[in-house]
Amino acid sequence: MSFTYADVGATRESGFCPPGFHPLHVRARLGEGQALFQRAAEAVLTWEMHRALGVGIAAASDRAAPDVDVTVTLAGMIKAPCRVVWTVEETRRAGWAYGTLAGHPECGEESFVVDRTGDGTVWLTISAFSRAAKWYSRAGGPATRGLQHAYARRCGVVLRKLCAPEDDA
């Protein structure tokens, strides 16, 4: 199965959005420190954050890696087939992006990256570009994009809770 868009891997470029697509960029502060960064990176790379959001994840691997197929199930009924297009695992940056495959309600790419800045602050950044691919996505118009933004913001909330020290959880 091939990707449903041309600019595969383009979420590596900050701020890139192909013509005809809608951009998404949400950044959430998770806290500080190397231990938090490592915990957040692992939760993102192993689908734990997504599962904690309550979405179904069926992946060909326990960890994000290029060419791993992933099907996200929303509300128990909407199946969204994707493929991981890139990953990064560096000292201060870890994450991945997937691109849409045939049958996904949207067309485009989305990345989930945890980074630790020079002052030790840990952030989750979700970047995407997309456009409707199914009739119900087109019918939803701006409401569909609003749901995408709400989902991205919720990722930050859920990841912050997942990574909280046990005393704070």
Side-chain angles (χ1 to χ4, degrees):
M1 203 179 321
S2 59
F3 293 102
T4 58
Y5 62 104
D7 295 294
V8 175
T11 52
R12 278 190 186 271
E13 292 181 47
S14 181
F16 178 81
C17 183
F21 287 77
H22 299 282
L24 177 139
H25 185 82
V26 174
R27 193 168 187 225
R29 184 179 180 281
L30 302 177
E32 296 87 24
Q34 182 64 23
L36 174 68
F37 168 78
Q38 289 173 327
R39 174 75 178 101
E42 195 64 14
V44 167
L45 289 165
T46 61
W47 326 111
E48 183 182 2
M49 177 188 73
H50 283 79
R51 287 190 172 104
L53 284 159
V55 299
I57 295 287
S61 173
D62 291 340
R63 190 173 190 82
D67 298 322
V68 168
D69 286 342
V70 181
T71 299
V72 179
T73 304
L74 305 167
M77 345 183 278
I78 298 173
K79 301 238 184 256
C82 307
R83 182 171 296 134
V84 176
V85 296
W86 60 261
T87 59
V88 61
E89 287 190 66
E90 299 169 351
T91 306
R92 293 183 164 271
R93 189 168 184 260
W96 54 274
Y98 55 32
T100 57
L101 302 173
H104 196 292
E106 294 287 313
C107 170
E109 192 169 295
E110 186 169 24
S111 67
F112 304 87
V113 177
V114 177
D115 68 275
R116 185 169 173 235
T117 60
D119 69 356
T121 305
V122 180
W123 297 88
L124 170 67
T125 304
I126 299 173
S127 297
F129 55 85
S130 65
R131 65 179 176 208
K134 298 271 191 183
W135 68 267
Y136 52 85
S137 299
R138 284 190 292 280
T144 300
R145 289 189 296 284
L147 289 172
Q148 289 171 326
H149 278 83
Y151 179 85
R153 287 189 303 276
R154 181 85 179 125
C155 286
V157 170
V158 165
L159 189 56
R160 192 176 308 113
K161 285 181 182 176
L162 277 173
C163 298
E166 292 193 23
D167 309 30
D168 299 344

